Amino acid sequence: MECQEALTKAVNTTVNNGGDDLVQNRLLSYLQDQLPFKIEELKPIRKKVYLLRTQERAFVLKGFSSYHRLKLQEAFTSSLMNEGFAKTYIFYEVAKEPPLFFDRTYFGCLEYIPPSEEVFTYFLKSDRLEGLNLLKNFHDTTEKLVSRYQTVVPAYRQADKWRERATLFLNNLPVIRYFVQKEIINELLAWADWALKGIEEDAWLFQYGRKVILHGDVAHHNFLRAKDQSLYLLDFDLIAVGTPHSDYLQYANRILPFMKWSFDDLGKYSIFKSNLEEKGFLHALAFPTDIFREWNRVIRDRTYLDSVKIRPVLDLTVGQFAERQRFIKALKYAVNEINK
């Protein structure tokens, strides 16, 4: 749920503006009939997510593609709370005749957490550390839930996911070559190859050992700085069973661009320090998953000719290339030191 940025940026719309008037008015009419209170405002946050205000309180209304997904999210957030992890939202059962179902979408009413004016950002070292500690607390809690959810939550396959992403990137090369020089593309592919081979050699790191329920999407917008300055973890749409390394790997990949891709600075975080002693984790850090993901996205959405949307992708690919090269050299040096 990309609530943090969206809630702070969303215009104060009503149901009578924009091109989605008809759908939004129909949804409002449906909700007024189904909910036991008068709706004063229905504000779009993003696709199929709304801020719903009544005279007494506010909710976040979120759409799900299936009833199973809705009930899984309700059960999982409830389990988190029952196990003591309170830094997230809860679902409310408020419909007169549940479930809420409109336009082939099931809707859940989530707790609205008033955001702080100071948003969570990976630019700040203090935020990066706080987010990492919250993620660790999440893992400590979800370790207790694995046996309960392992039959309804998929197993996370790190190498398989990345092979699929790399294959799609290769398929998109005819377009990417118009923007990125051949030498850089070849090096990106070499990093990916080195990373995948290393993961295969140390497959146990991501397949065995301590199992938790992974968050699966530790982008900054899934951390919410609340009005009381507490930090909350949001959006469990991509939860999966796996080892904590996969979430930490993704977290490292998210914060490294804000740390100038410094291997030494990454090692100053206690949680990463032990991970950086594992060859499989070092190899995995070399995989350019963010670059592949963003190119695959802009090509899928056909936005690569939009100068505003392609600029950050080019910065990620070309602008940070020299810093990333130094980071890969540091990774390979660390692997060689372990092999001695």
Side-chain angles (χ1 to χ4, degrees), residues 150-161:
Q150 61 185 355
T151 58
V152 292
V153 172
Y156 194 79
R157 308 292 184 191
Q158 187 72 63
D160 292 346
K161 180 182 177 71

Side-chain angles (χ1 to χ4, degrees), residues 57-150:
R57 63 196 306 182
F59 302 94
V60 172
L61 188 73
K62 180 175 178 179
F64 295 86
S65 60
S66 70
Y67 186 62
H68 169 76
R69 286 180 176 271
L70 168 61
K71 301 308 289 184
L72 175 60
Q73 294 296 304
E74 288 181 356
F76 182 68
T77 53
S78 177
S79 296
L80 287 175
M81 290 287 182
N82 291 338
E83 292 293 342
F85 186 86
K87 297 302 182 182
T88 191
Y89 48 76
I90 59 175
F91 281 76
Y92 294 113
E93 188 61 80
V94 292
K96 295 176 184 175
E97 299 178 7
L100 292 171
F101 183 69
F102 174 82
D103 197 21
R104 294 176 295 178
T105 302
Y106 291 89
F107 283 94
C109 278
L110 286 63
E111 175 186 8
Y112 170 66
I113 302 169
S116 168
E117 293 183 2
E118 300 174 7
V119 299
F120 178 87
T121 172
Y122 285 148
F123 277 108
L124 298 178
K125 183 179 180 180
S126 58
D127 279 5
R128 296 195 295 262
L129 180 59
E130 190 176 2
L132 187 59
N133 287 332
L134 182 60
L135 185 60
K136 180 183 181 301
N137 292 338
F138 173 76
H139 290 156
D140 290 342
T141 302
T142 64
E143 183 178 12
K144 306 169 190 174
L145 301 175
V146 169
S147 60
R148 195 181 314 173
Y149 285 92
Q150 61 185 355

Side-chain angles (χ1 to χ4, degrees), residues 215-226:
H215 182 275
D217 187 8
V218 293
H220 70 94
H221 54 246
N222 285 330
F223 291 88
L224 171 67
R225 177 71 64 195

